[in-house]
């Protein structure tokens, strides 16, 4: 049965969190973790914006609460948007958006988030505060995939391969070798786009496919 919004293969994007100490040396690691998770979620186009938001949120904690503050990053889907939350134990000074000038040394972090995110805000939760933002993903649903003509074509082909019974007839329309070759190459490209959109590694898949192909060649053991 076809999945939501035409996607036959729904992606499970499970919420995750990461406790860390807010220190300058942790920022590179935060950006790396964010990239890894979002690529696994099939959201490579959101990586850069999410990395900027996480960096600025953590930098805000370091500057206004203090280096070494116990902090936690939470990432999950909010409808079809990506929601990022960062919590720390200081409930006194709330982040405030100010208009930064060209010579300002402060105020740029929240201005960046405000310019990138669909929405953002601050929540007080008893013994902690949370700064959050939501980024548009372009997904049709929380379990959908990034759209595109190649992805849609590969999705349809994979659906047919999954649902269509085996065809016993040996009668096919005749194609030239050159036309068949181009059709096969185009399908491979579509499948690589589909793999990327679903959080898989196209390079790894190509390597594995090459291994399977060579193993099936006559005379290869």
């Amino acid at each position: 049965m076809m999945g939501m919004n035409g996607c036959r293969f729904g992606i499970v994007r499970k919420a995750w969190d990461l406790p860390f100490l807010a220190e300058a040396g942790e920022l590179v690691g935060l950006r790396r973790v964010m990239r890894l998770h979002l690529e696994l979620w099939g959201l490579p186009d959101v990586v850069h914006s999410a990395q900027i938001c996480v960096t600025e949120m953590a930098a805000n904690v370091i500057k206004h609460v203090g280096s070494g503050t116990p902090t936690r990053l939470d990432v999950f889907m909010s409808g079809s948007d990506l929601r990022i939350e960062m919590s720390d134990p200081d409930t006194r000074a709330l982040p405030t958006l100010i208009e930064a000038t060209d010579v300002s040394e402060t105020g740029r972090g929240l201005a960046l988030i405000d310019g990138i995110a669909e929405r953002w805000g601050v929540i007080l939760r008893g013994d902690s505060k949370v700064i959050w933002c939501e980024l548009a993903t372009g997904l049709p649903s929380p379990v959908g995939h990034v759209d595109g003509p190649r992805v849609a074509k590969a999705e349809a082909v994979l659906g047919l391969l999954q649902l269509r019974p085996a065809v016993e007839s040996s009668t096919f329309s005749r194609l030239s070798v050159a036309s068949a070759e181009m059709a096969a190459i185009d399908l491979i490209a579509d499948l690589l786009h589909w793999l990327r959109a679903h959080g898989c590694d196209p390079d790894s898949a190509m390597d594995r496919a090459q291994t399977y192909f060579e193993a099936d060649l006559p005379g290869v053991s």
Side-chain angles (χ1 to χ4, degrees), residues 92-219:
R92 296 167 298 175
L94 300 183
T96 303
L97 178 65
I98 60 175
E99 184 175 351
T101 65
D102 292 339
V103 296
S104 298
E105 296 183 359
T106 61
R108 297 184 181 276
L110 289 181
L112 279 173
I113 294 174
D114 185 66
I116 292 173
E118 289 291 292
R119 60 196 67 85
W120 69 275
V122 182
I123 303 172
L124 292 179
R125 292 177 176 168
D127 59 351
S128 67
K129 76 169 179 289
V130 180
I131 180 171
W132 61 271
C133 70
E134 293 184 354
L135 302 174
T137 65
L139 296 175
S141 75
V143 297
H145 59 66
V146 176
D147 205 1
R150 287 189 176 274
V151 175
K153 189 196 298 183
E155 185 86 8
V157 171
L158 288 169
L160 289 173
L161 292 174
Q162 180 188 44
L163 300 175
R164 185 179 59 188
V167 177
E168 299 296 334
S169 173
S170 59
T171 303
F172 299 95
S173 298
R174 189 172 183 83
L175 294 173
S176 70
V177 173
S179 296
E181 180 186 30
M182 289 307 301
I185 292 172
D186 198 48
L187 175 59
I188 291 170
D190 291 340
L191 292 172
L192 292 177
H193 279 278
W194 181 91
L195 286 167
R196 183 174 182 267
H198 283 76
C200 303
D201 182 359
D203 290 334
S204 175
M206 284 291 290
D207 290 340
R208 291 160 61 190
Q210 183 70 22
T211 299
Y212 297 159
F213 168 72
E214 292 176 353
D216 291 335
L217 291 177

